[in-house]
Amino acid sequence: MSLAERVTTIEEYQPCSREGSPDSRHRKMSFNPVGTWTEPAYEARLEPVGAFEVPRWKRMLQVFLAVIYCLFAAGVVFGYAAIKPVLVEEGVYRDHCTADELKQDVLLCYKQDLRLNLMFTIAAVSTNVVALPVGTILDRYGPRVSGIMGAFFIALGAVLFAFARDLPFDGYIPGYFFLALGGPFIFISSFQLSNTFPQYSGLILALLTGAFDTSSAIFLIYRLIYQAADGQFTVKKFFLVYLIVPAYILAVQILFMPATSYKTVGELVHQVEESNTDVLHDSDEEIEDPETLRRLHDARRSHRDSVVSEIATLLGTKDATQQTRDEEKKKSISGVWGALHGRSAADQIRTPWFILVMLFTVLQMTRINYFVATIRTQYTYLFDSYDKAVAINNFFDVALPVGGVLSIPFIGLVLDNTSTTFCMTLLVTVATAIGVLGLIPQAWAAYANICLFVVYRPLYYTAVSDYAAKVFGFATFGKVYGLIICLAGILNFSQTGLDALTHQTFHNDPNPVNIMLLSLGLLVGIALVGFVYKKSHKILRENVEDAAEGARETLMPGANEPRVTDYGATNGRGDEERGRSRV
């Protein structure tokens, strides 16, 4: 079995650009969401390192250390619902309250709530938009530089948040912004560690993703400590202690992490294939002594065999035929595989495939972040009881990280064993159920809503990226998926307007806004599912026709030659024509 047959699934789903490479297996891993907008002449990419060149113990340590810092910093800002009560208790933005509100001693006044939610909105938007520069920095300067930048941003955010009361300007919003900014720098730069052990790349990515989801519990832990200490462990003290985290990240990046990314499986295979030509060099003609030349060739051959052996050991011995068969089965099940493969990103974003999923993503991301930011105020109004809202908020704070971790294997099973039409239908159905449950002023509905929400959130993000890979292809994945997430993030600023509508126009009643988001999401979702269903059946029919045509050509020698029909047209359709028909 050749090494080229051992290319694993995880590399296939790397957000890479194939441009300029005739064989996708030989491309370099790229984290740049905008692909190759820049001219090749100005690209200065660092050469990746093979995992077999690094001791096993060090690679294991790198994965362990990365999981730890992702656990403490990658998505900590999404624990906003847990830290918001502490900020209210500490009187953050209390100066925005009116004299009447202060006289009535309201727990959370209108402008104070808007300001706090704006802080989270800006942070949530930045985590999406920052993927654009993070990818470029990773490609050009490597994961170590990216990790060090992430540590710096997190440290800056912690310092601003700790001393916000003493600053002559509002330090809370920029502080939370930099905490959010640092997350993608350290999280995305950790993806390449999945190549430290290619046989277990899926497990490593699952650990990193689980650490990201669980990191939202950091603020929950702080809130519990704050409450247990009767408010003595202030926000300032917490964030000064939290500076240990960026210091740890900095030390790990300098002492243990690789300066360049690890080679993907495709690059390792390519290295083996190139090594076959390394025995003979042009410079050999300058050596006149046959014995010296023989010893040189033997040394080169020995080195090549050693490298091949190490790479073979690293990749494992899984049966390639079965692996290939499994991957082909997954592609066939999806029903949309290759719908727009081979077309430019500019062409792809003008199709309903892109427009519908982009609109759906914008609406769902807005709903998700709006719910996270306003869960306590929503249920305070629905139950007309602050204590009941606090109990539901406390349950949500625990369920969010736990649900994210527990849903990982479930999500993988759904995406690998069901069609894209089914996945999109599941997303729309669950989103609708969440919206309906959120309107019912009953405790059972509230808890059911949260249970669905914490599973839906990671399922939604993963399903959208899976859709983009299968429909648009890996050559344009970074550009197209990056544009979807970036637009969704920017349009999430509408959350501030939704807050204003809820407080001012609807007098704190969240139902009108929730009904509006539910209705729009359902309409766009139905359109998306209907379109995908129709196109998937068309693709299936074309594949069946192609298979039948191939069988006919095999049975009828000469049938594969072009045959002129009426008006000079030839029978059969090329891939390009079929690609156009799927739009």
Side-chain angles (χ1 to χ4, degrees):
M1 178 176 60
S2 69
L3 283 170
E5 293 175 313
R6 295 181 184 168
V7 179
T8 59
T9 308
I10 188 60
E11 185 194 359
E12 187 175 23
Y13 283 90
Q14 295 291 359
C16 308
S17 175
R18 286 181 178 176
E19 295 177 22
S21 174
D23 187 347
S24 64
R25 293 184 290 105
H26 298 163
R27 67 188 184 275
K28 292 185 178 180
M29 176 183 286
S30 171
F31 297 92
N32 187 357
V34 294
T36 54
W37 289 120
T38 55
E39 291 295 329
Y42 295 95
E43 293 183 359
R45 302 184 189 279
L46 297 174
E47 187 65 27
V49 62
F52 65 91
E53 301 175 51
V54 180
R56 180 183 177 87
W57 69 265
K58 188 172 184 179
R59 286 180 279 134
M60 293 178 66
L61 182 62
Q62 288 171 342
V63 173
F64 173 77
L65 295 175
V67 169
I68 295 300
Y69 64 60
C70 285
L71 181 63
F72 282 92
V76 67
V77 294
F78 292 102
Y80 169 75
I83 199 174
K84 183 179 180 181
V86 176
L87 299 178
V88 173
E89 186 72 21
E90 288 278 295
V92 175
Y93 293 132
R94 190 71 175 172
D95 56 319
H96 285 65
C97 299
T98 64
D100 288 341
E101 289 172 326
L102 293 173
K103 186 177 180 180
Q104 296 173 18
D105 195 27
V106 296
L107 186 64
L108 179 64
C109 66
Y110 162 60
K111 289 188 177 180
Q112 180 187 18
D113 192 28
L114 282 185
R115 196 72 178 174
L116 287 170
N117 290 345
L118 176 63
M119 179 183 75
F120 172 70
T121 300
I122 292 174
V125 169
S126 69
T127 57
N128 295 318
V129 177
V130 78
L132 297 174
V134 169
T136 302
I137 291 170
L138 268 171
D139 280 350
R140 291 180 178 272
Y141 304 109
R144 179 180 292 169
V145 171
S146 176
I148 291 174
M149 291 180 66
F152 170 76
F153 289 135
I154 292 170
L156 180 59
V159 169
L160 286 172
F161 223 86
F163 295 100
R165 285 185 182 275
D166 307 319
L167 297 174
F169 57 88
D170 179 5
Y172 291 109
I173 288 180
Y176 212 71
F177 166 77
F178 281 113
L179 286 173
L181 195 65
F185 274 91
I186 65 167
F187 180 55
I188 298 176
S189 64
S190 301
F191 288 168
Q192 52 90 24
L193 292 176
S194 65
N195 294 311
T196 54
F197 298 94
Q199 297 180 72
Y200 306 104
S201 57
L203 174 61
I204 294 171
L205 282 178
L207 289 171
L208 293 171
T209 304
F212 173 85
D213 289 327
T214 309
S215 64
S216 62
I218 299 300
F219 286 160
L220 168 62
I221 295 172
Y222 165 58
R223 193 191 73 199
L224 296 175
I225 296 174
Y226 177 86
Q227 293 171 341
D230 198 22
Q232 295 301 308
F233 192 43
T234 62
V235 170
K236 181 176 183 179
K237 291 179 180 178
F238 168 73
F239 278 100
L240 288 177
V241 172
Y242 188 74
L243 285 171
I244 295 173
V245 174
Y248 163 78
I249 297 172
L250 179 63
V252 167
Q253 292 294 338
I254 293 175
L255 299 176
F256 301 103
M257 289 301 171
T260 62
S261 298
Y262 281 103
K263 289 182 179 180
T264 65
V265 174
E267 289 171 321
L268 290 173
V269 172
H270 186 46
Q271 180 176 348
V272 171
E273 293 173 349
E274 284 189 331
S275 68
N276 292 330
T277 62
D278 285 346
V279 176
L280 301 177
H281 291 180
D282 293 339
S283 59
D284 292 348
E285 297 178 358
E286 301 175 4
I287 302 176
E288 297 180 356
D289 183 13
E291 183 63 23
T292 302
L293 187 61
R294 185 187 63 79
R295 288 198 301 269
L296 182 60
H297 286 175
D298 288 343
R300 290 172 183 168
R301 190 177 293 107
S302 176
H303 174 71
R304 180 199 64 188
D305 293 342
S306 174
V307 170
V308 170
S309 176
E310 289 177 329
I311 293 177
T313 302
L314 183 69
L315 299 183
T317 57
K318 183 176 179 181
D319 181 60
T321 303
Q322 183 60 42
Q323 185 175 356
T324 302
R325 193 175 296 145
D326 291 343
E327 293 310 308
E328 288 301 322
K329 181 180 178 182
K330 292 177 185 178
K331 294 176 183 178
S332 177
I333 289 174
S334 74
V336 299
W337 180 270
L340 297 180
H341 289 199
R343 303 190 61 183
S344 68
D347 287 340
Q348 290 174 344
I349 64 176
R350 288 196 291 264
T351 66
W353 289 102
F354 173 85
I355 295 170
L356 289 173
V357 78
M358 185 270 293
L359 291 175
F360 185 72
T361 302
V362 168
L363 289 168
Q364 296 310 310
M365 191 178 290
T366 301
R367 283 186 64 188
I368 288 171
N369 291 332
Y370 178 68
F371 183 76
V372 171
T374 63
I375 179 172
R376 181 169 293 197
T377 55
Q378 285 197 42
Y379 282 112
T380 298
Y381 180 90
L382 288 176
F383 290 117
D384 195 23
S385 170
Y386 180 75
D387 292 337
K388 288 184 179 180
V390 169
I392 292 170
N393 197 159
N394 291 341
F395 176 74
F396 174 77
D397 293 337
V398 175
L400 185 63
V402 173
V405 173
L406 295 180
S407 63
I408 290 174
F410 161 75
I411 293 171
L413 288 173
V414 171
L415 295 180
D416 287 345
N417 296 284
T418 62
S419 67
T420 301
T421 302
F422 176 85
C423 290
M424 294 296 106
T425 303
L426 181 63
L427 286 182
V428 175
T429 302
V430 176
T432 304
I434 290 172
V436 172
L437 289 171
L439 301 174
I440 302 173
Q442 298 290 331
W444 66 266
Y447 287 107
N449 183 21
I450 290 172
C451 289
L452 280 178
F453 179 88
V454 298
V455 174
Y456 174 78
R457 180 172 170 262
L459 172 64
Y460 152 74
Y461 282 112
T462 311
V464 171
S465 63
D466 182 71
Y467 171 98
K470 291 175 178 175
V471 172
F472 304 115
F474 311 114
T476 59
F477 179 89
K479 295 176 184 177
V480 177
Y481 181 67
L483 183 59
I484 291 172
I485 296 300
C486 184
L487 288 175
I490 293 173
L491 293 174
N492 257 237
F493 277 117
S494 64
Q495 183 182 319
T496 303
L498 298 179
D499 275 338
L501 277 176
T502 301
H503 285 289
Q504 290 185 318
T505 306
F506 303 122
H507 308 291
N508 296 323
D509 182 1
N511 283 344
V513 169
N514 285 332
I515 291 173
M516 178 183 68
L517 292 175
L518 170 62
S519 301
L520 289 174
L522 182 59
L523 288 174
V524 174
I526 291 174
L528 174 62
V529 170
F531 177 80
V532 173
Y533 175 81
K534 179 181 177 181
K535 291 297 182 179
S536 64
H537 275 260
K538 185 176 182 181
I539 292 172
L540 176 62
R541 186 173 65 251
E542 290 176 351
N543 289 339
V544 171
E545 291 175 356
D546 288 345
E549 182 72 14
R552 187 184 71 82
E553 291 173 351
T554 301
L555 294 173
M556 298 176 60
N560 58 337
E561 297 177 2
R563 178 167 52 88
V564 179
T565 57
D566 293 341
Y567 306 103
T570 58
N571 67 338
R573 297 183 301 274
D575 289 339
E576 183 178 350
E577 181 181 343
R578 284 195 299 272
R580 285 196 296 268
S581 70
R582 291 170 180 173
V583 178

